[in-house]
Amino acid sequence: MLTEVLILSAAVIANLILVMISFRRNPLSASNRLFAAVGITLCFWSIVNFFSFQTNNQLLATWLVRFVMVLSTPLGIFFFLFVHTFPRTTLAMSKKTFWTWIFVMIVTMGIAASPLLFPEVTLLPDKPPKPTPGIGLIIYVPVVILTTLYGIVLMVKKFLSAKGLERIQTGYLMVGAGIMFPLIIGLNFVAVNAFNSTTFIPYGPIFILPFTALTTYAILRYRLMDIRAAIARSLSFSILLGAFFAFYGAIFIFAVPPLAEWLGIPAGFIAAVGALLSVLLARYVQEALRRLTDRILFQNQIDYHRALVDASKELSTTIRIEDVTRTVLDIMEQTIRTKKTIIFLQENTLRE
């Protein structure tokens, strides 16, 4: 029992840390908020699900099983809303539709907590709790089960239709969900109900880790433009560039006199050569520092020059007007989508 609790606790803490890291990246993002809601709900669901199999008290077991169903309601709806929104920073639906879903979720949670879903739970020796189905399942099943299934279908459709950065992000999300759901369904539901085995119940949070880890990676590594990242990039780039030329200038201030004396060449001549070299090298130094700050702080920034080069390479391989049009539109779509994200984030930042 102690070992199982330790495993459960460690996995839950790991999931919560990943969720909070992604949330802190951009707390104003609707995708980050919904992902945090999904991750936190999954953690609490796995905890309650674990303890629902540990009690020998029928009344407590009844309430714990009901509470498992209560938590599975926001889990299904939040997952659907997250997939529907990801990777946008704003909701992909109207506020009226969003709050309608929240209202449906609250009503379904109330039904799940009442005897309408499970009037009673029977405890049998060496077997998991057996709930008695109630009329509330008529509402619970379409709201929770079908919503979750629709979220999965929508995720696959978005992956197949997405392009570029969005396709990569959705791909990580799909792989994580593709690992998590089969493990939870197979080992936390099928194994329990079909084979009366509760062996894998404590490992529920571990089954969640692929989803939270890969989604967090997609948000952090392949995030859309972020004002804080832009500011950090600008500051770090300026500091690095200034430090480089300050170091370069310090070398000449202290090194030119002894070097001129050693070579027997006027100090002014050496200083002039050094200034000329600094002018010639400035462009390459600036590009190297830009790549360094981009790699660390500002991945996937808009690069219009690269976009034009890629377009020219594609266009040079075809003379069909359909291919030319498709190539230009694809590249413009990716560039404009990123530009709109930057403008939106800048407006939100100024508004705050």
Side-chain angles (χ1 to χ4, degrees), residues 22-304:
S22 63
F23 175 74
R24 291 287 298 172
R25 172 58 57 184
N26 186 1
L28 299 179
S29 169
S31 291
N32 290 16
R33 290 181 176 184
L34 288 171
F35 174 57
V38 173
I40 292 172
T41 305
L42 276 168
C43 289
F44 279 103
W45 172 85
S46 61
I47 293 172
V48 176
N49 190 48
F50 169 75
F51 284 105
S52 68
F53 290 93
Q54 305 302 319
T55 180
N56 294 320
N57 184 289
Q58 184 170 352
L59 179 61
L60 181 58
T62 300
W63 279 106
L64 285 173
V65 170
R66 288 176 182 172
F67 199 42
V68 168
M69 308 308 287
V70 168
L71 288 173
S72 65
T73 303
L75 179 58
I77 292 179
F78 282 147
F79 176 76
F80 158 71
L81 293 175
F82 170 62
V83 171
H84 191 269
T85 303
F86 186 82
R88 293 166 53 111
T89 56
T90 57
L91 289 172
M93 61 179 65
S94 66
K95 288 187 177 181
K96 182 179 179 180
T97 304
F98 173 79
W99 287 111
T100 299
W101 277 109
I102 298 301
F103 175 76
V104 171
M105 180 184 75
I106 293 173
V107 171
T108 308
M109 290 174 70
I111 293 173
S114 72
L116 292 174
L117 189 63
F118 294 141
E120 62 178 354
V121 174
T122 304
L123 292 179
L124 300 174
D126 300 324
K127 290 185 178 181
K130 184 178 180 181
T132 302
I135 193 172
L137 285 172
I138 296 176
I139 297 177
Y140 176 87
V141 170
V143 170
V144 179
I145 306 300
L146 296 184
T147 301
T148 304
L149 291 176
Y150 181 65
I152 295 173
V153 172
L154 180 61
M155 179 174 55
V156 175
K157 289 177 63 177
K158 290 182 71 171
F159 174 76
L160 295 177
S161 62
K163 297 177 181 178
L165 177 61
E166 185 175 337
R167 185 181 180 89
I168 295 174
Q169 289 179 304
T170 308
Y172 279 106
L173 175 63
M174 190 168 65
V175 171
I179 297 173
M180 176 182 69
F181 281 117
L183 289 175
I184 290 179
I185 293 172
L187 300 178
N188 279 183
F189 284 100
V190 176
V192 171
N193 295 290
F195 304 102
N196 295 321
S197 174
T198 60
T199 304
F200 298 99
I201 294 298
Y203 306 106
I206 297 179
F207 304 153
I208 300 168
L209 271 174
F211 174 73
T212 55
L214 289 174
T215 305
T216 299
Y217 180 78
I219 291 174
L220 298 183
R221 176 63 179 84
Y222 295 99
R223 64 187 181 273
L224 294 178
M225 294 303 178
D226 185 314
I227 291 300
R228 292 177 304 169
I231 295 172
R233 172 184 180 267
S234 299
L235 289 175
S236 60
F237 176 78
S238 300
I239 292 172
L240 285 174
L241 189 63
F244 175 82
F245 283 110
F247 180 73
Y248 187 83
I251 290 177
F252 272 89
I253 292 173
F254 295 102
V256 167
L259 184 62
E261 184 180 351
W262 180 64
L263 295 176
I265 299 175
F269 178 78
I270 297 178
V273 172
L276 179 62
L277 287 176
S278 67
V279 172
L280 296 176
L281 293 175
R283 176 182 177 184
Y284 301 100
V285 172
Q286 182 179 357
E287 180 65 18
L289 293 177
R290 184 191 65 79
R291 290 180 180 178
L292 177 63
T293 53
D294 286 345
R295 180 172 300 179
I296 297 174
L297 296 170
F298 209 61
Q299 296 99 335
N300 304 307
Q301 75 279 14
I302 299 177
D303 191 337
Y304 296 103

